[in-house]
Amino acid sequence: MCGIVGYIGESSASPILLDGLKKLEYRGYDSAGIAVFNGENVDICKTKGRIADLEKKLGDEGSLEGNIGIGHTRWATHGAPDDINAHPHKGGDGRITLVHNGIIENYIELKIMLEQKGYTFVSQTDTEVLAHLFDFFYNGDSLEAMSNVMKTVRGSYATAVLINDRPGEIIAARKDSPLIVGIGENENFLASDIPAVLKYTRDCYLLDDNQIAVLTKESIKLYDINKNEVHKDVYHVTWDVEAAEKGGFDHFMKKEIAEQPRTVRDTLSPRIKDSHVVIDELSLTDEEIKNIGTIHIVACGSAWHVGMAARYVIEKLAQIPCEVDLASEFRYRNPIVKPNDICIVISQSGETADTLAALREAKSKGARAVSIVNVVASTIARESDDVIYTMAGPEIAVATTKAFSAQLNVAYLLAIRFAKAKGLIGDEEERKLCEEMLRLPEIIEKLLEMDDYLKELAKKYVDSENVFFIGRGLDYAISLEGSLKLKEISYIHSEAYAAGELKHGTISLIEEGTPVFAVATQSDLLEKTLGNIKEVKARGARVVALVGENHTAADEFADDIIRVPEISDILMPSLTVVPLQIFAYYMALGRGCDVDKPRNLAKSVTVE
Ligand code: G6P
């Protein structure tokens, strides 16, 4: 996830671009750059670091003069966050200058093709492919070139391009990454998000996928991918800047919940090719996978819950023994780790002190460290042997949602990869799982439509003092997460129990009206969980059953039911977590809590 801005008009472009980038910094902040037309050529200034670093560099080196420009703030996916990989990038002999937000999935094959045509690459980014490809197709007609580029690349993008021989124009396009055009008078704007232009205009065009915008200072023309002109309604912004940074959502948490379809898609699609799991970042060979002794999974908080789910899936599919540890426990319990073991480290921030220490502990004992991390080039990422990045983009709400979903899906990918290497699943089963996983984004999209239902449900339970979550197997892992989400943001006491364990003590806490969420989606465990539902019901609990849509067995015992679409049992956690996140959100709202910044918590815990 990155941020793009563009300006074309009569004012000096640099300050407007910098100002816009500052508004988009939440989208990524590991490097930044701007490019400005100086009349003949396009000058670029870019640097590793934040917008403030870019501003300083411009101050030191002299700001770029001109009235047309594009800018970018980066959240690295391909290539480390450094000066060279920072955008803008040049294409051809320098006549093209381009910024890009998204991921070009077929960049390797395009790079090979372009290299064969004589193009030279200087960065490790997928974006440079886009710049050269644009040059390759450009023969004086920018619309034609953009249309051809869009028909050639696979993946997601919002992109803006300056062309040396078209000094009065910016051409831009989008697919699966946001892009808006701000409408001014004798000036026009481009941005990934509305706040970047709100200071200058409240009238925008919100581009749809596969649309192209051609901006001059006097005009904005919109086209479809086949170069047919399209006409869109002007969107008039009525909200203020602060709300807009949340994309119109009241809270970052809500926005991030809603971003999960895209997050899951971005995490999975580059790693599922022709119905096969291909994890380029994983350097383990089939032989090495076959020789793994034990997998040690270490993490904290929600990431540890992903670890709990990962254990079930890896043991089930790949039959490799897994141990899941809280990183803070692992580091001090002198764990038995052998050189043929691997350590899977899960962390959104990549900076959690205990998780980092656990990684070092496992490595010091000879285990190979494979990390699942969201923040590129974070310490855990840098110290791991292999790092598989989740493509969640910056997560701002303290309570994680979209990073959790992305981590879960990387765990599925690893389990399938391991099982395949060991010959425990064949092509057919792999194909079925891959196809189902690729459907997850669209199913999660549907789940988001349950918002009103969950809002009402929260109203019913908002005054609860204790809430319990029960489930078995993968449902237990999601119970843990559902319970943590609820307690961390609503401050309601909540506990999650393996459903079979409840009767060994905790059931004494169930009294008339105590809400118990029963997650019951695993077919082989359904009857057992049903038994536990009856146990709590008999003691007066108010049961909320979270079940697959075809399961009716819990209906007669449940006071409320949340139904999620059916998919393979092992993928169910990707779905069941979503209503629990939304429920927790509305419970916290209903109790007047600071949803995005719960008391006493921090997004990244860099102390023990
Ligand atoms: C903090 C956050 C949690 C997160 C945990 C681990 O406690 O509030 O949401 O799950 O740290 O963070 P990490 O960045 O390592 O995933």
Side-chain angles (χ1 to χ4, degrees), residues 285-513:
T285 62
D286 284 3
E287 253 346 276
E288 285 169 330
I289 292 170
K290 283 181 197 154
N291 284 330
I292 294 173
T294 299
I295 296 179
H296 303 270
I297 305 176
V298 293
C300 300
S302 294
W304 178 71
H305 300 154
V306 172
M308 293 290 283
R311 173 172 68 190
Y312 290 109
V313 181
I314 294 173
E315 290 192 339
K316 183 167 181 148
L317 292 183
Q319 295 176 22
I320 304 172
C322 293
E323 288 187 10
V324 191
D325 270 88
L326 291 164
S328 52
E329 289 295 309
F330 182 85
R331 61 184 294 194
Y332 292 120
R333 76 169 165 86
N334 197 14
I336 299 166
V337 180
K338 305 238 171 75
N340 66 335
D341 290 352
I342 70 163
C343 179
I344 297 183
V345 183
I346 310 173
S347 175
Q348 187 284 129
S349 62
E351 301 293 348
T352 303
D354 283 320
T355 311
L356 178 61
L359 164 118
R360 289 175 177 159
E361 171 76 12
K363 278 190 82 174
S364 74
K365 290 183 166 164
R368 192 180 183 81
V370 177
S371 64
I372 302 172
V373 172
N374 196 39
V375 178
V376 173
S378 53
T379 313
I380 291 174
R382 287 199 307 271
E383 294 197 16
S384 300
D385 295 296
D386 295 332
V387 47
I388 306 168
Y389 285 116
T390 46
M391 303 298 188
E395 199 180 51
I396 294 168
V398 166
T400 179
T401 52
K402 60 176 181 168
F404 177 93
S405 284
Q407 289 163 351
L408 200 53
N409 278 282
V410 174
Y412 295 146
L413 291 171
L414 281 173
I416 296 170
R417 171 77 184 89
F418 293 161
K420 200 69 198 313
K422 291 183 71 184
L424 292 168
I425 60 169
D427 283 347
E428 191 44 37
E429 196 175 342
E430 183 184 25
R431 188 189 57 75
K432 180 175 173 277
L433 283 168
C434 287
E435 282 174 6
E436 282 199 307
M437 285 167 74
L438 290 175
R439 278 180 49 224
L440 285 172
E442 132 203 2
I443 305 176
I444 296 171
E445 200 83 62
K446 279 182 111 187
L447 285 172
L448 297 174
E449 290 169 13
M450 295 171 70
D451 197 80
D452 284 345
Y453 176 73
L454 294 163
K455 192 176 184 175
E456 289 308 308
L457 193 69
K459 278 187 193 154
K460 277 167 92 170
Y461 291 93
V462 73
D463 294 323
S464 307
E465 283 178 17
N466 299 293
V467 178
F468 291 87
F469 287 75
I470 58 170
R472 288 170 181 258
L474 280 168
D475 291 333
Y476 173 46
I478 289 308
S479 298
L480 287 164
E481 178 60 6
S483 172
L484 178 61
K485 279 288 90 63
L486 180 67
K487 72 182 127 192
E488 68 181 335
I489 60 170
S490 75
Y491 317 144
I492 295 172
H493 169 249
S494 171
E495 287 185 43
Y497 267 83
E501 183 64 14
L502 195 71
K503 57 180 149 315
H504 300 292
T506 319
I507 201 162
S508 64
L509 294 171
I510 306 289
E511 47 188 38
E512 201 56 41

Side-chain angles (χ1 to χ4, degrees), residues 238-291:
T238 49
W239 20 270
D240 60 20
V241 174
E242 202 198 319
E245 277 166 0
K246 293 172 187 147
F249 289 90
D250 290 338
H251 297 94
F252 283 109
M253 181 180 177
K254 196 72 195 309
K255 178 172 185 249
E256 288 160 7
I257 288 172
E259 283 172 352
Q260 289 179 110
R262 183 197 55 74
T263 296
V264 171
R265 188 179 297 118
D266 286 353
T267 300
L268 290 178
S269 55
R271 296 168 180 134
I272 295 181
K273 294 181 183 142
D274 300 327
S275 300
H276 291 294
V277 171
V278 182
I279 311 176
D280 291 332
E281 305 94 321
L282 190 71
S283 61
L284 289 167
T285 62
D286 284 3
E287 253 346 276
E288 285 169 330
I289 292 170
K290 283 181 197 154
N291 284 330

